[in-house]
Amino acid sequence: SAGEDVPLPGRVAIPGGGAGAAGRRAVAVSCGNAHTAVVLADGTLLTCGAADQGALGQDAGGGGGRRGGSEFEPVAVQGDSYSLGAVAMLSGAKSPVASASAGGLHTLALTRAGTLYGCGAGSWGRLGMGDDNKDKTAPTLVKAASHLGVCAVAAGWEHSLVLGSDGTPFFFGRTASSYTSLPTPVPGIGPSSGTPVSSLAVGRGYCAAIDREGGLWVWGAMPQHGALGLGEHNGSKIKSARQPTRVDALDGRFIVQAAAGAAHIVAIADSRLSSTTEMAVPAEARFGTTSQQDYDHAMCDSCEREDGPEGGALLFCDWCNRAYHLECHEPKIAAVPDGDWQCFNCKLERFSACQVCGMQDEINATLALCDTSSEDGGGCPHYGCCHIECLPAARRPPLQAVLDAEAAAAKEAREREEREKKESEDQSMAAVGGDEAAAEAPGVGDGDRD
């Protein structure tokens, strides 16, 4: 409700949402200093929160609206907004939005057509509109970015970053006591410096960028208690950098995402793409330690017995520490392998990304695990996981759907054959019964016989 703190998470109502409103589903959200921006699946931009200096983009001249009937009706937004309202100028029907970023007192929105709009405070050049540093209460085209091929946006406290399609980051807004009011290439990073950028993040007075090789770069100034991740100099934390500087402490780690707060940074590294061995988690940390007594009285995870049904040895997985008899493991194991050994399930977990395309299996569920190694006499060249569709056609195993269809067809054929056989038997029995009845019935003239 208006003006009250919310101590526990609560569902936020989306105007026009509900059953049958697929386009009213939220797909992205961004939090600014005191306002929020939400992008819906149909490209509509919603905002709420503090309306200071026009940050919501919901001006009385048609910039904002509330759901009325089947359409959004422009309304005059006076002061703060305690519920999500549409920025009517950036709707799914007019200019669908691809992404949005809420900053200190401004908001940036990138349409699916690649057009950049800004609203809110115009001071310090944070909207990128050149000499026009006035506040914008409705989304206004950033003309200077029209030729940049913008593909990503990030709004900071009093500055902004946008990313060009070629990997060039552009900056506009405040830098210490000066500012830049037009999108300007960031020196020292980007294609011209051999480090094209893939994503951006901005904090209160600093910026962060990830290059396409997974390196994290930072520049700008941190508040008093922050740090840029660049270590120390003369016993003091490094809190500022004039030029983009690579965070060497993350060498060997492939950074895929970074989030910038007011005075801290959090980054995610992909263990599959990273080269450092420090990314691996020891088995003891994952599954705990096991005593010798546990080994002495261990039971097979499959048959739940100490002795195997065929007398096979009990083999322990070096990854999960589960035990399997050679004959109980699926697939069966012919002999105790030399060195470390991982069970089928652990291989599936460890190699859970396609070795060809590098993608995981979240939608199509066609990721298969090859159970042969390269040492098995010309084994699978893609040892590990691979999408069935990524394999050459001649090497693809049948999909489960195909197997199910074949099984269903075979079942139907059997049932049809059984029905035909039964019908034939019934007909034969009916014919025999008819003959017997005819033989037992008295014939014409039989009454004259004695």
Side-chain angles (χ1 to χ4, degrees), residues 367-405:
L367 194 64
L369 177 67
C370 179
D371 55 16
T372 61
S373 65
S374 57
E375 289 82 12
D376 294 337
C380 176
H382 302 298
Y383 180 58
C385 281
C386 184
H387 287 115
I388 292 176
E389 61 268 25
C390 290
L391 290 170
R395 298 185 66 92
R396 294 176 187 172
L399 291 169
Q400 187 61 44
V402 176
L403 296 176
D404 293 342

Side-chain angles (χ1 to χ4, degrees), residues 111-314:
T111 69
R112 294 176 183 175
T115 306
L116 180 64
Y117 288 88
C119 61
S123 59
W124 296 102
R126 74 191 79 184
L127 295 180
M129 298 182 184
D131 295 334
D132 184 2
N133 286 338
K134 296 179 180 179
D135 298 346
K136 307 296 180 185
T137 57
T140 304
L141 176 67
V142 183
K143 297 179 181 179
S146 299
H147 66 287
L148 302 180
V150 177
C151 61
V153 298
W157 184 254
E158 295 175 319
H159 63 290
S160 304
L161 280 178
V162 298
L163 183 63
S165 57
D166 65 346
T168 299
F170 295 86
F171 174 92
F172 46 96
R174 183 176 183 176
T175 305
S177 59
S178 62
Y179 68 93
T180 301
S181 58
L182 290 172
T184 304
V186 178
I189 192 173
S192 61
S193 301
T195 52
V197 171
S198 60
S199 65
L200 306 167
V202 290
R204 186 178 180 92
Y206 68 94
C207 304
I210 301 173
D211 64 40
R212 293 179 181 175
E213 298 298 322
L216 178 64
W217 299 71
V218 294
W219 67 98
M222 274 277 189
Q224 179 181 358
H225 300 292
L228 288 175
L230 301 177
E232 297 183 347
H233 179 68
N234 293 332
S236 300
K237 293 184 296 184
I238 298 177
K239 306 167 68 66
S240 63
R242 292 179 177 272
Q243 299 291 331
T245 305
R246 184 182 173 94
V247 180
D248 292 336
L250 295 176
D251 282 352
R253 292 172 171 81
F254 196 103
I255 307 301
V256 293
Q257 184 180 353
H264 69 293
I265 304 171
V266 177
I268 297 176
D270 190 329
S271 60
R272 296 175 299 112
L273 302 176
S274 299
S275 58
T276 178
T277 57
E278 295 178 7
M279 295 292 292
V281 179
E284 291 79 7
R286 291 170 57 88
F287 305 105
T289 58
T290 304
S291 67
Q292 185 59 45
Q293 184 178 5
D294 293 328
Y295 284 112
D296 293 339
H297 299 281
M299 292 190 298
C300 176
D301 195 69
S302 178
C303 71
E304 298 183 349
R305 297 179 179 178
E306 291 188 32
D307 299 325
E310 299 177 11
L314 194 63

Side-chain angles (χ1 to χ4, degrees), residues 416-439:
R416 183 171 58 252
E417 183 179 350
E418 291 175 358
R419 286 196 305 269
E420 293 175 351
K421 183 179 179 180
K422 188 175 185 304
E423 291 173 358
S424 177
E425 291 175 350
D426 291 344
Q427 292 174 359
S428 299
M429 292 181 65
V432 172
D435 293 342
E436 292 177 351

